[in-house]
Amino acid sequence: MLSWPWAEDTRDFHKVVITHVTRYVDMFYTTDDIAAADAELQAWIKDCHSYHLNNQGLASELKSKSQKRPFSHFIHHSEHSSINYPQYDYYSYPPSRSGKSQMSLPKARSDPTVTESTLAEFFPPISEMELAINTVQILATYEAEDVFLGERGNDYFGPDADAPVGVLNHVQADLAVYNERVKQRNRTLPGRKENPYEWLLSTNVVNTKV
C-alpha cells in the first residue's frame, strides 16, 4: 500500500460517488419499471454500445435503475483529475517524455556510449519540447470557471427544489467527511507526511460531467 498511497483515497471516494449516484438516480427513477420504460435511456445505451463502451461492463439494455449506477460512476469519476493535474511537474521536464525522444534509451548509465553529446541527440528539437511543455501546462491548469465536485455552477434547481437540494446537501456532507479523512492520512501516514497527496480531495476534482 505504501507504493500506492492514494488507493485508500480512491476506495473511499468510490463509496461517496456511488452513494451520490444512487440517490440521484432514485430521485428520477423511483421504480425499475420506470427506468426500463424510458425510451431515451434505452437509446442512450445503444449509442454507448456503438462506441464500444460495453467494454466498461455496460449492459446492452437497462432493465433496472441499479444497472445505470456503475456506469454513471464511471463518467463521474476522479480519474481525470488525479492523473491530469499532477502531470505538469513530471511531463514538463523533457527527459521524462521518452516518447518524444529522437533515439533509443540507453540500457544503463554504465553504457560507454552515453556521453553529453549522445544525450543531447536524445532530446527532441527545442520547438517540439516547447510545444509539449505548453500543452501539458494547459491540460494541468485549473480554469477560472471550473466547478468542483459537490458544487454547482448555478443555483437553479427547477420548480421542485427540495429533492435535488437534499441530494446535494447529502453529497456535500459526505465529501466533507471524506476530505477530512484524506487530510488525516496526509498528516499521519508514512510517505504522505513528507509528500501529501491532495489530488483526490473533492476540492481538486473538477466536476465536468455532473
Side-chain angles (χ1 to χ4, degrees):
M1 190 66 75
L2 291 177
S3 299
W4 303 93
W6 54 88
E8 294 170 310
D9 298 348
T10 303
R11 176 198 61 199
D12 290 346
F13 187 90
H14 177 276
K15 293 177 182 177
V16 172
V17 175
I18 282 292
T19 300
H20 172 59
V21 171
T22 299
R23 293 188 186 117
Y24 193 86
V25 170
D26 289 349
M27 184 171 60
F28 294 98
Y29 299 96
T30 55
T31 68
D32 290 340
D33 291 341
I34 294 176
D38 189 328
E40 291 187 6
L41 186 58
Q42 301 301 335
W44 174 71
I45 289 294
K46 292 181 180 179
D47 192 40
C48 289
H49 274 264
S50 70
Y51 290 96
H52 305 291
L53 293 180
N54 53 306
N55 294 334
Q56 301 290 338
L58 187 65
S60 58
E61 60 178 335
L62 291 185
K63 298 181 179 179
S64 71
K65 58 183 182 178
S66 62
Q67 287 178 283
K68 187 177 186 298
R69 294 168 188 159
F71 192 73
S72 297
H73 168 251
F74 170 74
I75 65 172
H76 287 64
H77 206 274
S78 57
E79 293 173 350
H80 179 266
S81 181
S82 62
I83 294 173
N84 195 67
Y85 293 105
Q87 69 179 330
Y88 181 74
D89 289 345
Y90 181 82
Y91 279 111
S92 62
Y93 181 57
S96 297
R97 297 179 62 86
S98 57
K100 297 290 291 181
S101 63
Q102 304 297 294
M103 57 186 291
S104 299
L105 289 168
K107 300 296 183 183
R109 292 184 180 182
S110 58
D111 190 328
T113 63
V114 178
T115 64
E116 188 173 322
S117 60
T118 57
L119 287 176
E121 295 175 5
F122 169 83
F123 295 119
I126 291 178
S127 59
E128 288 190 22
M129 288 192 287
E130 181 181 20
L131 178 62
I133 291 171
N134 290 339
T135 300
V136 173
Q137 184 179 28
I138 292 172
L139 293 173
T141 301
Y142 291 108
E143 301 294 335
E145 64 272 16
D146 281 341
V147 178
F148 296 90
L149 198 67
E151 299 176 355
R152 282 181 60 87
N154 58 71
D155 293 327
Y156 179 69
F157 288 95
D160 184 12
D162 290 345
V165 169
V167 170
L168 180 62
N169 289 340
H170 274 299
V171 72
Q172 288 175 341
D174 290 346
L175 287 171
V177 173
Y178 160 77
N179 285 336
E180 183 53 40
R181 190 176 296 123
V182 172
K183 293 175 183 178
Q184 178 67 15
R185 291 186 183 119
N186 284 336
R187 290 191 294 264
T188 59
L189 292 183
R192 291 184 65 158
K193 290 189 293 185
E194 297 77 13
N195 297 288
Y197 189 80
E198 300 179 339
W199 297 106
L200 284 174
L201 287 169
S202 66
T203 50
N204 288 329
V205 178
V206 176
N207 189 10
T208 56
K209 296 295 185 181
V210 180

